[in-house]
Amino acid sequence: MGAWGDLREVARGWRWGRRTLVPRSALRHTPSRRRGQFPTGWARTPAAKAAREVLLAYGLRPLVRNETAPKIHGLENLDGLEGPVIFVSNHTSHLDASLILTSLPRKWREKTATGAAADYFFDTWWRSVGTALVYNAFPIDRTGRGRGTTDAARMLDEGWNLIVFPEGTRSQDGWVQRFRTGAARLAVQHRVPVVPIAIRGAYAAMPKGRNWPRPGRLPISVRFGRPLQPEEGQDHRSLTRRMFQAVAELFDEDSTTWFEAVARAERGETPAPSGPDGPRWLRAWEASRPLPRRGRRPAWRR
Amino acid sequence: MPRPGFVLEVDERTPPLLVHEGEGFRLQRFPLGSRVVYPPDALPGIKDVGAAIRHALENPVGSEPLSELLKPGMKLTIAVDDISIPLPPMKTPDIRQKVLEQVIEGAARGGVDDVKIVIATALHRRMTADEIKRMVGERVFRSFYPRDLYNFDAEEPGALLEVGTTEEGEVVEISRRAAESDLIVYVNINLVAMDGGHKSVAIGLAGYRSLRHHHNVHTMLHSRSYMDPRPGRSAIHDSATRMGHVLRDNGVKIFTIETTLNGETFPSQFGFLNKREWEWSFKDQAMFLAAKRANDVAPPRLRREVWRRIEAPYGVTGVNAGETEAVHERTLANLYRQQLLEVDGQSDVLVLGVPYVGPYNVNSIMNPILVHCLGLGYLFNMYRNKPLVRRGGVVIMFHPVPWEFHQIHHPSYVDFFEEVLAETTDPKTIESKFEERYATDPWYIHLYRTSHAYHGVHPFYMWYWGAHALDHVEDVIVVGGDPRSCARMGYRTASSFRDALEMAGDTVGTGPSVTYLHVPPLAIAEVR
Amino acid sequence: MSLALELYRSIPRYLAARAIGGRAPGLVAGPLAPIRLVNRRDPEPDRPGWARVRTRLSGICGSDLATLSGKSSFYFSPLVSLPFVPGHEIVGELVDEVDGMDAGTRVVLSPVLGCLARGLDPCAACSAGLTGRCDRVALGHVSPGLQTGYCRDTGGGWGRIFAAHRSQLHPVPDPMEDRVAVLVEPLSCAVHTAMRASVGPEAEVLVVGAGTIGALTILALRELTQAGRVTAVAKHGAQRDLARRLGATDVVEPGEAMNAIRRATGALKLRPERGPSFLLGGADVAIDCVGSKSSLDLSLRATAAGGRVVLSGIPVGGADLTPVWFRELEVAGAYTGGTEQVNGEARSAFDVAIELASAAPLEGLVGAVYPLRDWREAIDHALAAGRLGTLKVAFDPREG
């Protein structure tokens, strides 16, 4: 038949460029495709790591700095800390992972992997490859039917830091939702410290529904907190509460001052990061309030 | 979770399907509505095979543990299946090597001195030293070859002992050495349901006088099929059972060790040959294209060499030892678990892709008679209850059927093809007119005993193996077959599948129902 | 919050799909489609007469595919409100109870959002029961949207939950399977088409296209009119078999259709220097169930003078209208079912459709069902459905 003939037969028979189909009578015997299963090991090879470093340092970081005005606080909390750690943060925007990765010092960044929703980021091969390459992402099954993630445990054992968003999804209104227990579970099982991060202003800059930051270089504050060590016999639920409290305190510190925040924390009066009680419009209104701009006014006013 | 076998119905969404044709393969589109029989997924192999063997030897069924049977001063004969199994040859270490090593270790510990290892070739060709070494492993080879490890010679004067006669008058004559031993340990691989059981010793270590009682046209016509060894279904197995009982009743003690393999037939480079077509990943499709191109352009010798070197990464699904019938029952259960599936009804046309290797051309050439044996013999008979094709239907096979014979391995085949088939293709006539002469021809016997040739009568058996098929179907059409060799065998040839279906229309009409048996990996169809 | 496929505004995608979608359908089902799987807020019916419905099955219609491939006319732009969840061929079950129907009732949806659904006083058309001709589909308290499946507020079939007004809901008799019930909406359109065709006794009818719409139209013609010969034009084998089963007298391939009508009616066939041939004489009624340029040409050119051409599929390709003038043809559009005059009595097209569906051999029309997550596979399959031997592809949003 000749090489071209064979190629044509295969291309037509397996519907290249389109989706392969299963014959009707074989449907019963074909396991349904499990979405979100994507091997990401290749993204942790030296070649991929080098490519990622270039992409993050010379691509993503300048881009984030150009489109928004991020300010990073609290990196001194990472001094003397031994990896691996789990970074947990509130989640309001697709900017969050980019902000965290580009804020981390290189030593931390090159050993960090991001947990990304399997059903969203790993549904097609090109999105999977992009996410894995740039963010060193691994799939997390958040439908509740799967096993959450098995990669995370293995990577912690291999010494990778993880970025996990315990809310499981971006907040609708900018305030912090209930934390799921997966991150705490991992921390307790593998006895790794948890570094809380609070990101304020990302919701105003690029909320859910937008894929590009709003114009105007809106300020965003990324604040790293003191690492939480899982105590002896601590169970994941109490660790989750500690994480939530830590993020709340960071929010408070960020919106007021450190001194006031510590005092309030002592008194147990840290305002809840889950936002004001009230109608939906009020919550969205308060969450999207732009942060006060510190530093010089931009020359061009928009 | 290995999935069961199933029958595909070809629809618009079905990609073209893989069909083996000798040392090659193609993608073939089948008409809508054709049925395709797929074997079950490969079962997982046993992880610790050594432990499984040990367990079987120490906890046999229907017998004392092997260690108790091996005593000092006894005469022990270990018989081993020959090179005709498994297909393709198993990746080393062969399972027989592992079993042998443990049996011999037991013999050594038991203080047995008189140990002979006989390769149960019956009238097959002698295995070469290299082939034997590959099968039994270096350690066994070095310790036993050539004096205590040898091929069975059925024509050696005085080498056979007549043990008795069955109630049907069948002479039971096996290797004298084996019959006079205190214990025969048989190391078997059950690749298809035909193997094993009483057939191992009663046929594997027998000579022509015994074999003619069941290796004949009448028995073949009444073996429906010989892949279904249940009593009353397969005349050849009934005969073997009778002979086995004669052996047992006359004090021949046999400790049978049977093993079964899973469906991992092709190595991972050719993984697409094991998989269902619509599940081929992009990599599989690319591998197919590359392999096909390389195969098509390769010079014939290189191509043959590449195919010859294929080693199957078989996993072992079971090891059972002890009394022959009890063991064989378990063996068959394991085998059916891997190969059996149900098919609803027969069809007008059966399509077979004949692969490159059969039991009698390992490291050799598949001559036209062996194509007949593999296609109309073994593959046609991979059924229980009823054949996949109805009586009076058509078989369409894919194979180039080259007019090519291996001069050393198959000398009698050449003459059979030139002389016997030129005159008639009817098995009964061939049997009555020619068999005796070929079976007793001294030249063939000489080659069988000293060279590496199949016995003079062997091509006859190959022809009889397809007797049931020849009786059952009306027409045989070979796609891509050499017209001369096919004509000699009474087949018709077509250059494409479409033409073959059109030719089949003469017999079964236009728009016939088609079933394609998608093997290898092997599958047995229980046809309702 | 539940899962739904949402069609959103994306100019670049629209342009790209329009430009190359025809040649690379694989891309239309992938990166070019302006559609995404989202977790959407469930519609909250806050007015009386509205209820939430959980989708059990929702079909993919030719109009949906035209929208995704950028072929849909801009005429519709004020009649839809982006972003919306597509899907108007729906069988579902009520989540809330509403006026005389308990929660859990299995229902099919009449998708038109007419005056009643919009909380307006009925316009003349709605009063006469011809909801398809409602003049107010862009007004009222519901966002503009000619049907559920084109409206931002209501949601649609390609999502887990949508909202419907009582006037849109019809209960499904228990013995009817979901896979047949999902065909009731297209069947009601076919019923309406058959009535619009004004088929006289023993008329010669040409049905162009034997996809779902064409096949169901043949069924409706046979059951409800006194049509004589029905010639069906079908491109693919599976469609031809179905057309025959449902009662077409003669089934031909597109290339042969003109000749077949010519032979059947003894007409004269003429060949212009440019453009397809036409007949002087021909069918009494032609029904175009495809809407492409070639199907429209065939319908207009194979109809006898004074005959009737019914456009059942949205005409996306322009055709030469000369035969309409020269042969004094009546061209009628058939949009969606309302109240029909069937055998002298006024009945709702939906009721007639449910009756027909209970008796007709419609199992197997829905050839493939996909969960929402596999929407790319579903769209890809639907785009090539005819060739793949499938008639209708549907979504089942209930699975994961």
Side-chain angles (χ1 to χ4, degrees), chain B residues 5-7 37 340-344 524-528:
Chain B
F6 82 111
V7 179
V37 177
L340 192 64
L341 70 141
E342 279 196 357
V343 177
D344 238 331
I524 302 178
E526 171 103 39
V527 181
R528 278 182 289 181

Side-chain angles (χ1 to χ4, degrees), chain C residues 129-205:
Chain C
L130 300 171
T131 42
R133 299 186 183 178
C134 179
D135 289 326
R136 313 270 171 82
V137 286
L139 301 174
H141 68 84
V142 181
S143 296
L146 54 147
Q147 294 184 346
T148 305
Y150 295 96
C151 172
R152 181 174 48 220
D153 295 337
T154 56
W158 295 5
R160 287 232 174 99
I161 304 255
F162 65 94
H165 186 259
R166 176 65 183 86
S167 60
Q168 296 178 284
L169 299 171
H170 300 258
V172 176
D174 271 328
M176 192 184 286
E177 286 181 16
D178 280 345
R179 286 193 184 213
V180 173
V182 76
L183 298 169
V184 166
E185 196 272 336
L187 186 50
S188 74
C189 294
V191 166
H192 178 69
T193 304
M195 297 296 104
R196 274 293 266 160
S198 298
V199 179
E202 293 310 306
E204 172 84 30
V205 183

Side-chain angles (χ1 to χ4, degrees), chain A residues 1-3 6-16 20-31, chain B residues 3-4 6 8-9 11-16 27 29 276-280 282 285 288-289 292-293 296:
Chain A
M1 220 208 281
D6 291 331
L7 191 63
R8 252 204 325 266
E9 271 291 318
V10 175
R12 213 161 349 151
W14 275 266
R15 305 187 83 226
W16 282 6
T20 34
L21 289 164
V22 175
R24 266 183 291 254
S25 46
L27 281 172
R28 259 180 314 139
H29 300 274
T30 307
Chain B
R3 298 167 293 177
F6 82 111
L8 171 80
E9 196 179 303
D11 59 14
E12 296 88 348
R13 309 177 202 179
T14 313
L27 282 181
R29 276 203 181 273
R276 300 173 181 178
E277 285 81 351
W278 56 92
E279 291 172 5
W280 282 10
F282 190 68
Q285 295 166 40
F288 163 80
L289 286 170
K292 180 145 199 316
R293 192 78 199 117
D296 288 343

Side-chain angles (χ1 to χ4, degrees), chain B residues 50-80:
Chain B
I53 300 173
R54 236 182 331 268
H55 177 86
L57 296 182
E58 287 310 303
N59 306 285
V61 281
S63 158
E64 311 92 317
L66 184 63
S67 46
E68 286 176 29
L69 293 171
L70 297 173
K71 297 190 255 295
M74 73 182 290
K75 206 166 170 189
L76 175 66
T77 302
I78 308 176
V80 193

Side-chain angles (χ1 to χ4, degrees), chain C residues 67-359:
Chain C
T67 314
L68 288 173
S69 335
K71 292 212 189 72
S72 201
S73 162
F74 270 108
Y75 179 90
F76 289 114
S77 49
L79 300 172
V80 305
S81 44
L82 290 156
F84 59 80
V85 177
H88 54 268
E89 300 172 355
I90 310 173
V91 55
E93 63 197 9
L94 283 174
V95 175
D96 311 313
E97 69 143 349
V98 72
D99 298 354
M101 281 180 152
D102 299 325
T105 318
R106 220 161 44 118
V107 289
V108 285
L109 186 81
S110 170
V112 173
L113 290 165
C115 295
L116 283 174
R118 292 175 173 284
L120 302 166
D121 287 327
C123 62
C126 285
S127 307
L130 300 171
T131 42
R133 299 186 183 178
C134 179
D135 289 326
R136 313 270 171 82
V137 286
L139 301 174
H141 68 84
V142 181
S143 296
L146 54 147
Q147 294 184 346
T148 305
Y150 295 96
C151 172
R152 181 174 48 220
D153 295 337
T154 56
W158 295 5
R160 287 232 174 99
I161 304 255
F162 65 94
H165 186 259
R166 176 65 183 86
S167 60
Q168 296 178 284
L169 299 171
H170 300 258
V172 176
D174 271 328
M176 192 184 286
E177 286 181 16
D178 280 345
R179 286 193 184 213
V180 173
V182 76
L183 298 169
V184 166
E185 196 272 336
L187 186 50
S188 74
C189 294
V191 166
H192 178 69
T193 304
M195 297 296 104
R196 274 293 266 160
S198 298
V199 179
E202 293 310 306
E204 172 84 30
V205 183
L206 172 67
V207 177
V208 182
T212 312
I213 297 292
L216 294 177
T217 306
I218 296 171
L219 173 66
L221 285 169
R222 278 283 172 240
E223 297 288 327
L224 305 173
T225 72
Q226 295 168 303
R229 285 179 43 100
V230 175
T231 305
V233 182
K235 234 198 245 182
H236 304 285
Q239 295 175 334
R240 286 197 279 273
D241 292 333
L242 180 64
R244 229 170 262 126
R245 253 204 335 264
L246 292 176
T249 321
D250 196 14
V251 181
V252 294
E253 295 193 28
E256 260 307 296
M258 192 65 80
N259 288 338
I261 294 288
R262 195 210 68 73
R263 281 194 300 272
T265 56
L268 186 65
K269 184 169 116 165
L270 300 174
R271 225 165 78 82
E273 281 169 26
R274 289 191 67 181
S277 328
F278 62 92
L279 299 180
L280 294 180
D284 299 312
V285 179
I287 306 180
D288 180 5
C289 300
V290 178
S292 66
K293 180 172 187 317
S294 54
S295 68
L296 210 43
D297 272 332
L298 176 61
S299 312
L300 294 175
R301 290 172 188 231
T303 310
R308 201 167 168 80
V309 175
V310 182
L311 304 183
S312 178
I314 304 180
V316 295
D320 186 353
L321 292 178
T322 310
V324 179
W325 173 80
F326 183 62
R327 303 266 82 199
E328 301 196 336
L329 300 176
E330 291 177 353
V331 177
Y335 162 39
T336 187
T339 306
E340 317 291 329
Q341 288 290 333
V342 180
N343 295 333
E345 53 168 316
R347 302 188 57 198
S348 137
F350 252 80
D351 291 337
V352 178
I354 291 179
E355 210 174 273
L356 286 182
S358 310

Side-chain angles (χ1 to χ4, degrees), chain B residues 78-401:
Chain B
I78 308 176
V80 193
D81 272 340
D82 73 346
I83 202 177
S84 36
I85 213 171
L87 302 168
M90 187 170 167
K91 213 154 87 147
T92 49
D94 191 290
I95 179 66
R96 285 167 290 199
Q97 171 182 333
K98 294 192 170 152
V99 175
L100 271 176
E101 284 176 353
Q102 290 207 22
V103 172
I104 288 166
E105 183 74 34
R109 275 210 214 104
V112 184
D113 293 322
D114 188 356
V115 181
K116 295 265 190 254
I117 308 179
V118 184
I119 303 177
T121 50
L123 298 185
H124 299 171
R125 68 170 172 85
R126 293 165 6 102
M127 286 174 70
T128 65
D130 283 331
E131 290 168 345
I132 298 177
K133 192 198 292 199
R134 188 183 185 281
M135 181 172 84
V136 303
E138 204 265 334
R139 219 180 138 203
V140 173
F141 185 80
R142 196 154 33 97
S143 312
F144 286 82
Y145 190 80
R147 257 190 354 165
D148 301 317
L149 163 60
Y150 51 84
N151 293 290
F152 174 56
D153 185 347
E155 293 288 348
E156 184 183 337
L160 298 174
L161 178 67
E162 185 177 327
V163 176
T165 313
T166 70
E167 60 262 28
E168 304 280 332
E170 299 147 314
V171 175
V172 182
E173 188 179 59
I174 65 165
S175 149
R176 180 182 294 272
R177 159 80 206 186
E180 290 175 349
S181 300
D182 298 302
L183 180 66
I184 304 176
V185 175
Y186 198 98
V187 180
N188 144 294
I189 298 181
N190 242 78
L191 184 69
V192 289
M194 191 181 81
D195 307 326
H198 284 295
K199 199 170 159 293
S200 296
V201 175
I203 296 183
L205 293 173
Y208 180 62
R209 274 185 72 210
S210 268
L211 290 173
R212 66 190 307 189
H213 289 294
H214 40 62
H215 278 51
N216 57 49
V217 180
H218 181 263
T219 309
M220 285 296 109
L221 285 176
H222 293 275
S223 299
R224 307 203 177 145
S225 76
Y226 46 73
M227 294 298 180
D228 184 3
R230 289 176 290 183
R233 302 284 185 148
S234 171
I236 181 173
H237 288 93
D238 292 340
S239 177
T241 305
R242 286 192 291 271
M243 294 187 170
H245 288 168
V246 167
L247 291 175
R248 181 192 59 197
D249 298 338
N250 282 283
V252 177
K253 194 156 166 56
I254 306 174
F255 186 86
T256 305
I257 308 172
E258 294 191 344
T259 62
T260 42
L261 304 172
N262 69 5
E264 291 277 352
T265 315
F266 291 101
S268 52
Q269 303 94 291
F270 303 111
F272 60 90
L273 291 173
N274 280 337
K275 281 163 119 179
R276 300 173 181 178
E277 285 81 351
W278 56 92
E279 291 172 5
W280 282 10
S281 65
F282 190 68
K283 201 162 130 220
D284 291 318
Q285 295 166 40
M287 297 269 295
F288 163 80
L289 286 170
K292 180 145 199 316
R293 192 78 199 117
N295 198 55
D296 288 343
V297 300
R301 303 191 87 193
L302 179 60
R303 186 192 311 147
R304 178 154 293 151
E305 196 54 30
V306 170
W307 283 96
R308 191 181 76 80
R309 279 170 194 268
I310 289 183
E311 297 182 343
Y314 280 125
V316 178
T317 57
V319 182
N320 289 290
E323 187 273 316
T324 305
E325 285 179 9
V327 167
H328 198 57
E329 199 179 308
R330 291 191 178 186
T331 302
L332 285 178
N334 275 334
L335 196 132
Y336 289 140
R337 221 166 24 106
Q338 174 64 77
Q339 293 184 10
L340 192 64
L341 70 141
E342 279 196 357
V343 177
D344 238 331
Q346 301 174 304
S347 63
D348 300 315
V349 176
L350 175 63
V351 179
L352 300 169
V354 182
Y356 72 103
V357 72
Y360 313 112
N361 73 310
V362 182
N363 298 334
S364 185
I365 296 175
M366 187 177 276
N367 60 53
I369 301 163
L370 291 177
V371 177
H372 172 93
C373 170
L374 186 56
L376 290 184
Y378 289 111
L379 293 182
F380 178 87
N381 280 280
M382 293 293 277
Y383 74 86
R384 291 202 333 174
N385 195 28
K386 289 191 285 191
L388 280 166
V389 60
R390 65 166 172 84
R391 181 161 271 278
V394 175
V395 171
I396 298 181
M397 297 200 286
F398 284 77
H399 196 280
V401 197

